[in-house]
PDB file of all heavy atoms in Angstrom:
ATOM      1  N   VAL A   1    -126.903   9.927 -81.704  1.00  0.00           N
ATOM      2  CA  VAL A   1    -126.906   8.437 -81.716  1.00  0.00           C
ATOM      3  C   VAL A   1    -128.177   8.008 -82.464  1.00  0.00           C
ATOM      4  O   VAL A   1    -129.286   8.468 -82.215  1.00  0.00           O
ATOM      5  CB  VAL A   1    -126.914   7.898 -80.288  1.00  0.00           C
ATOM      6  CG1 VAL A   1    -126.993   6.373 -80.342  1.00  0.00           C
ATOM      7  CG2 VAL A   1    -125.632   8.305 -79.553  1.00  0.00           C
ATOM      8  N   VAL A   2    -127.963   7.086 -83.447  1.00  0.00           N
ATOM      9  CA  VAL A   2    -129.085   6.652 -84.281  1.00  0.00           C
ATOM     10  C   VAL A   2    -129.072   5.173 -84.438  1.00  0.00           C
ATOM     11  O   VAL A   2    -128.084   4.488 -84.229  1.00  0.00           O
ATOM     12  CB  VAL A   2    -128.980   7.365 -85.708  1.00  0.00           C
ATOM     13  CG1 VAL A   2    -129.032   8.847 -85.563  1.00  0.00           C
ATOM     14  CG2 VAL A   2    -127.684   6.912 -86.394  1.00  0.00           C
ATOM     15  N   LEU A   3    -130.251   4.661 -84.907  1.00  0.00           N
ATOM     16  CA  LEU A   3    -130.400   3.289 -85.331  1.00  0.00           C
ATOM     17  C   LEU A   3    -130.497   3.296 -86.831  1.00  0.00           C
ATOM     18  O   LEU A   3    -130.603   4.357 -87.472  1.00  0.00           O
ATOM     19  CB  LEU A   3    -131.642   2.654 -84.688  1.00  0.00           C
ATOM     20  CG  LEU A   3    -131.641   2.505 -83.184  1.00  0.00           C
ATOM     21  CD1 LEU A   3    -133.011   2.061 -82.718  1.00  0.00           C
ATOM     22  CD2 LEU A   3    -130.572   1.530 -82.729  1.00  0.00           C
ATOM     23  N   GLN A   4    -130.506   2.108 -87.454  1.00  0.00           N
ATOM     24  CA  GLN A   4    -130.727   2.028 -88.928  1.00  0.00           C
ATOM     25  C   GLN A   4    -132.075   2.642 -89.284  1.00  0.00           C
ATOM     26  O   GLN A   4    -133.080   2.486 -88.567  1.00  0.00           O
ATOM     27  CB  GLN A   4    -130.692   0.618 -89.400  1.00  0.00           C
ATOM     28  CG  GLN A   4    -129.280   0.011 -89.429  1.00  0.00           C
ATOM     29  CD  GLN A   4    -128.432   0.542 -90.607  1.00  0.00           C
ATOM     30  OE1 GLN A   4    -128.917   1.273 -91.429  1.00  0.00           O
ATOM     31  NE2 GLN A   4    -127.162   0.176 -90.616  1.00  0.00           N
ATOM     32  N   PRO A   5    -132.143   3.447 -90.327  1.00  0.00           N
ATOM     33  CA  PRO A   5    -133.423   4.097 -90.707  1.00  0.00           C
ATOM     34  C   PRO A   5    -134.491   3.086 -91.138  1.00  0.00           C
ATOM     35  O   PRO A   5    -134.220   2.048 -91.640  1.00  0.00           O
ATOM     36  CB  PRO A   5    -133.065   4.964 -91.888  1.00  0.00           C
ATOM     37  CG  PRO A   5    -131.845   4.300 -92.521  1.00  0.00           C
ATOM     38  CD  PRO A   5    -131.088   3.677 -91.372  1.00  0.00           C
ATOM     39  N   THR A   6    -135.679   3.472 -90.814  1.00  0.00           N
ATOM     40  CA  THR A   6    -136.855   2.646 -91.194  1.00  0.00           C
ATOM     41  C   THR A   6    -137.830   3.541 -91.944  1.00  0.00           C
ATOM     42  O   THR A   6    -137.542   4.742 -92.188  1.00  0.00           O
ATOM     43  CB  THR A   6    -137.563   2.082 -89.950  1.00  0.00           C
ATOM     44  OG1 THR A   6    -137.917   3.165 -89.077  1.00  0.00           O
ATOM     45  CG2 THR A   6    -136.636   1.164 -89.226  1.00  0.00           C
ATOM     46  N   GLY A   7    -138.899   2.940 -92.381  1.00  0.00           N
ATOM     47  CA  GLY A   7    -139.900   3.768 -93.058  1.00  0.00           C
ATOM     48  C   GLY A   7    -139.770   3.676 -94.581  1.00  0.00           C
ATOM     49  O   GLY A   7    -138.896   2.951 -95.102  1.00  0.00           O
ATOM     50  N   PRO A   8    -140.568   4.453 -95.286  1.00  0.00           N
ATOM     51  CA  PRO A   8    -140.620   4.357 -96.760  1.00  0.00           C
ATOM     52  C   PRO A   8    -139.420   5.074 -97.410  1.00  0.00           C
ATOM     53  O   PRO A   8    -138.794   5.949 -96.798  1.00  0.00           O
ATOM     54  CB  PRO A   8    -141.945   5.097 -97.122  1.00  0.00           C
ATOM     55  CG  PRO A   8    -142.115   6.061 -96.025  1.00  0.00           C
ATOM     56  CD  PRO A   8    -141.583   5.385 -94.782  1.00  0.00           C
ATOM     57  N   PHE A   9    -139.152   4.737 -98.654  1.00  0.00           N
ATOM     58  CA  PHE A   9    -138.207   5.429 -99.437  1.00  0.00           C
ATOM     59  C   PHE A   9    -138.746   6.846 -99.805  1.00  0.00           C
ATOM     60  O   PHE A   9    -139.957   6.976-100.094  1.00  0.00           O
ATOM     61  CB  PHE A   9    -137.860   4.656-100.719  1.00  0.00           C
ATOM     62  CG  PHE A   9    -137.021   3.441-100.538  1.00  0.00           C
ATOM     63  CD1 PHE A   9    -137.554   2.180-100.751  1.00  0.00           C
ATOM     64  CD2 PHE A   9    -135.714   3.547-100.068  1.00  0.00           C
ATOM     65  CE1 PHE A   9    -136.810   1.036-100.536  1.00  0.00           C
ATOM     66  CE2 PHE A   9    -134.946   2.405 -99.884  1.00  0.00           C
ATOM     67  CZ  PHE A   9    -135.503   1.186-100.117  1.00  0.00           C
ATOM     68  N   LYS A  10    -137.866   7.804 -99.818  1.00  0.00           N
ATOM     69  CA  LYS A  10    -138.209   9.140-100.237  1.00  0.00           C
ATOM     70  C   LYS A  10    -137.270   9.578-101.361  1.00  0.00           C
ATOM     71  O   LYS A  10    -136.234   9.006-101.534  1.00  0.00           O
ATOM     72  CB  LYS A  10    -138.111  10.106 -99.069  1.00  0.00           C
ATOM     73  CG  LYS A  10    -139.060   9.825 -97.907  1.00  0.00           C
ATOM     74  CD  LYS A  10    -139.012  10.941 -96.833  1.00  0.00           C
ATOM     75  CE  LYS A  10    -140.020  10.687 -95.764  1.00  0.00           C
ATOM     76  NZ  LYS A  10    -140.015  11.717 -94.708  1.00  0.00           N
ATOM     77  N   VAL A  11    -137.694  10.660-102.056  1.00  0.00           N
ATOM     78  CA  VAL A  11    -136.933  11.156-103.198  1.00  0.00           C
ATOM     79  C   VAL A  11    -136.719  12.672-103.014  1.00  0.00           C
ATOM     80  O   VAL A  11    -137.563  13.374-102.575  1.00  0.00           O
ATOM     81  CB  VAL A  11    -137.649  10.900-104.537  1.00  0.00           C
ATOM     82  CG1 VAL A  11    -136.821  11.444-105.689  1.00  0.00           C
ATOM     83  CG2 VAL A  11    -137.932   9.438-104.726  1.00  0.00           C
ATOM     84  N   ALA A  12    -135.446  13.067-103.345  1.00  0.00           N
ATOM     85  CA  ALA A  12    -135.145  14.564-103.305  1.00  0.00           C
ATOM     86  C   ALA A  12    -134.245  14.929-104.464  1.00  0.00           C
ATOM     87  O   ALA A  12    -133.528  14.057-104.974  1.00  0.00           O
ATOM     88  CB  ALA A  12    -134.453  14.879-101.974  1.00  0.00           C
ATOM     89  N   LYS A  13    -134.398  16.144-104.895  1.00  0.00           N
ATOM     90  CA  LYS A  13    -133.485  16.633-105.904  1.00  0.00           C
ATOM     91  C   LYS A  13    -132.089  16.848-105.300  1.00  0.00           C
ATOM     92  O   LYS A  13    -131.933  17.032-104.080  1.00  0.00           O
ATOM     93  CB  LYS A  13    -134.004  17.988-106.467  1.00  0.00           C
ATOM     94  CG  LYS A  13    -135.261  17.893-107.224  1.00  0.00           C
ATOM     95  CD  LYS A  13    -135.713  19.245-107.758  1.00  0.00           C
ATOM     96  CE  LYS A  13    -137.037  19.136-108.536  1.00  0.00           C
ATOM     97  NZ  LYS A  13    -137.500  20.453-109.037  1.00  0.00           N
ATOM     98  N   LEU A  14    -131.110  16.778-106.151  1.00  0.00           N
ATOM     99  CA  LEU A  14    -129.738  16.949-105.705  1.00  0.00           C
ATOM    100  C   LEU A  14    -129.543  18.318-104.998  1.00  0.00           C
ATOM    101  O   LEU A  14    -128.767  18.423-104.054  1.00  0.00           O
ATOM    102  CB  LEU A  14    -128.753  16.829-106.878  1.00  0.00           C
ATOM    103  CG  LEU A  14    -127.232  16.885-106.553  1.00  0.00           C
ATOM    104  CD1 LEU A  14    -126.844  15.794-105.569  1.00  0.00           C
ATOM    105  CD2 LEU A  14    -126.416  16.888-107.832  1.00  0.00           C
ATOM    106  N   SER A  15    -130.233  19.294-105.447  1.00  0.00           N
ATOM    107  CA  SER A  15    -130.109  20.688-104.823  1.00  0.00           C
ATOM    108  C   SER A  15    -130.606  20.703-103.382  1.00  0.00           C
ATOM    109  O   SER A  15    -130.280  21.605-102.618  1.00  0.00           O
ATOM    110  CB  SER A  15    -130.900  21.666-105.641  1.00  0.00           C
ATOM    111  OG  SER A  15    -132.251  21.314-105.719  1.00  0.00           O
ATOM    112  N   GLN A  16    -131.377  19.666-102.958  1.00  0.00           N
ATOM    113  CA  GLN A  16    -131.819  19.627-101.605  1.00  0.00           C
ATOM    114  C   GLN A  16    -130.821  19.019-100.623  1.00  0.00           C
ATOM    115  O   GLN A  16    -131.043  19.059 -99.433  1.00  0.00           O
ATOM    116  CB  GLN A  16    -133.148  18.852-101.530  1.00  0.00           C
ATOM    117  CG  GLN A  16    -134.333  19.481-102.262  1.00  0.00           C
ATOM    118  CD  GLN A  16    -135.546  18.606-102.338  1.00  0.00           C
ATOM    119  OE1 GLN A  16    -135.789  17.866-103.351  1.00  0.00           O
ATOM    120  NE2 GLN A  16    -136.322  18.585-101.278  1.00  0.00           N
ATOM    121  N   VAL A  17    -129.776  18.419-101.149  1.00  0.00           N
ATOM    122  CA  VAL A  17    -128.727  17.859-100.300  1.00  0.00           C
ATOM    123  C   VAL A  17    -127.824  18.963 -99.802  1.00  0.00           C
ATOM    124  O   VAL A  17    -127.193  19.687-100.625  1.00  0.00           O
ATOM    125  CB  VAL A  17    -127.911  16.823-101.084  1.00  0.00           C
ATOM    126  CG1 VAL A  17    -126.834  16.207-100.212  1.00  0.00           C
ATOM    127  CG2 VAL A  17    -128.835  15.700-101.607  1.00  0.00           C
ATOM    128  N   SER A  18    -127.678  19.153 -98.503  1.00  0.00           N
ATOM    129  CA  SER A  18    -126.908  20.278 -97.995  1.00  0.00           C
ATOM    130  C   SER A  18    -125.476  19.942 -97.658  1.00  0.00           C
ATOM    131  O   SER A  18    -124.557  20.674 -97.971  1.00  0.00           O
ATOM    132  CB  SER A  18    -127.642  20.897 -96.764  1.00  0.00           C
ATOM    133  OG  SER A  18    -127.779  19.909 -95.740  1.00  0.00           O
ATOM    134  N   HIS A  19    -125.279  18.840 -96.948  1.00  0.00           N
ATOM    135  CA  HIS A  19    -123.881  18.444 -96.601  1.00  0.00           C
ATOM    136  C   HIS A  19    -123.807  16.958 -96.296  1.00  0.00           C
ATOM    137  O   HIS A  19    -124.792  16.281 -96.121  1.00  0.00           O
ATOM    138  CB  HIS A  19    -123.389  19.273 -95.422  1.00  0.00           C
ATOM    139  CG  HIS A  19    -124.178  19.112 -94.147  1.00  0.00           C
ATOM    140  ND1 HIS A  19    -125.214  19.925 -93.806  1.00  0.00           N
ATOM    141  CD2 HIS A  19    -124.091  18.175 -93.174  1.00  0.00           C
ATOM    142  CE1 HIS A  19    -125.726  19.520 -92.631  1.00  0.00           C
ATOM    143  NE2 HIS A  19    -125.074  18.489 -92.259  1.00  0.00           N
ATOM    144  N   LYS A  20    -122.536  16.515 -96.263  1.00  0.00           N
ATOM    145  CA  LYS A  20    -122.265  15.089 -96.019  1.00  0.00           C
ATOM    146  C   LYS A  20    -122.079  14.862 -94.517  1.00  0.00           C
ATOM    147  O   LYS A  20    -121.604  15.737 -93.779  1.00  0.00           O
ATOM    148  CB  LYS A  20    -121.014  14.678 -96.816  1.00  0.00           C
ATOM    149  CG  LYS A  20    -120.750  13.161 -96.862  1.00  0.00           C
ATOM    150  CD  LYS A  20    -119.661  12.848 -97.823  1.00  0.00           C
ATOM    151  CE  LYS A  20    -119.437  11.394 -97.977  1.00  0.00           C
ATOM    152  NZ  LYS A  20    -118.406  11.084 -98.957  1.00  0.00           N
ATOM    153  N   CYS A  21    -122.367  13.611 -94.124  1.00  0.00           N
ATOM    154  CA  CYS A  21    -122.212  13.251 -92.674  1.00  0.00           C
ATOM    155  C   CYS A  21    -121.311  11.977 -92.591  1.00  0.00           C
ATOM    156  O   CYS A  21    -121.131  11.309 -93.590  1.00  0.00           O
ATOM    157  CB  CYS A  21    -123.525  12.991 -92.048  1.00  0.00           C
ATOM    158  SG  CYS A  21    -124.680  14.404 -92.026  1.00  0.00           S
ATOM    159  N   MET A  22    -120.867  11.705 -91.355  1.00  0.00           N
ATOM    160  CA  MET A  22    -120.125  10.484 -91.082  1.00  0.00           C
ATOM    161  C   MET A  22    -120.903   9.658 -90.095  1.00  0.00           C
ATOM    162  O   MET A  22    -121.428  10.178 -89.140  1.00  0.00           O
ATOM    163  CB  MET A  22    -118.751  10.826 -90.537  1.00  0.00           C
ATOM    164  CG  MET A  22    -117.888   9.581 -90.254  1.00  0.00           C
ATOM    165  SD  MET A  22    -116.310   9.967 -89.458  1.00  0.00           S
ATOM    166  CE  MET A  22    -115.517  10.936 -90.681  1.00  0.00           C
ATOM    167  N   LEU A  23    -121.014   8.334 -90.347  1.00  0.00           N
ATOM    168  CA  LEU A  23    -121.732   7.450 -89.500  1.00  0.00           C
ATOM    169  C   LEU A  23    -120.737   6.441 -88.934  1.00  0.00           C
ATOM    170  O   LEU A  23    -120.053   5.737 -89.675  1.00  0.00           O
ATOM    171  CB  LEU A  23    -122.815   6.706 -90.310  1.00  0.00           C
ATOM    172  CG  LEU A  23    -123.802   5.829 -89.514  1.00  0.00           C
ATOM    173  CD1 LEU A  23    -124.783   6.713 -88.797  1.00  0.00           C
ATOM    174  CD2 LEU A  23    -124.570   4.895 -90.479  1.00  0.00           C
ATOM    175  N   LEU A  24    -120.608   6.392 -87.613  1.00  0.00           N
ATOM    176  CA  LEU A  24    -119.594   5.584 -86.980  1.00  0.00           C
ATOM    177  C   LEU A  24    -120.268   4.571 -85.988  1.00  0.00           C
ATOM    178  O   LEU A  24    -121.212   4.976 -85.300  1.00  0.00           O
ATOM    179  CB  LEU A  24    -118.582   6.423 -86.175  1.00  0.00           C
ATOM    180  CG  LEU A  24    -117.734   7.405 -86.987  1.00  0.00           C
ATOM    181  CD1 LEU A  24    -116.895   8.293 -86.093  1.00  0.00           C
ATOM    182  CD2 LEU A  24    -116.857   6.671 -87.960  1.00  0.00           C
ATOM    183  N   PRO A  25    -119.786   3.330 -85.958  1.00  0.00           N
ATOM    184  CA  PRO A  25    -120.377   2.358 -85.041  1.00  0.00           C
ATOM    185  C   PRO A  25    -120.088   2.713 -83.588  1.00  0.00           C
ATOM    186  O   PRO A  25    -118.989   3.129 -83.247  1.00  0.00           O
ATOM    187  CB  PRO A  25    -119.716   1.019 -85.437  1.00  0.00           C
ATOM    188  CG  PRO A  25    -118.420   1.461 -86.067  1.00  0.00           C
ATOM    189  CD  PRO A  25    -118.684   2.769 -86.728  1.00  0.00           C
TER     190      PRO A  25
END
């Protein structure tokens, strides 16, 4: 269970993305 993310923007290379997630209300 999560809230909307806060904090600074970050940057990553595409190779650092491992998998996709689903966000449901």
Side-chain angles (χ1 to χ4, degrees):
V1 175
V2 299
L3 296 172
Q4 285 288 354
T6 57
F9 287 112
K10 295 185 177 182
V11 181
K13 295 180 179 179
L14 183 61
S15 59
Q16 295 174 262
V17 179
S18 58
H19 61 265
K20 192 170 183 176
C21 300
M22 182 186 295
L23 190 72
L24 297 175

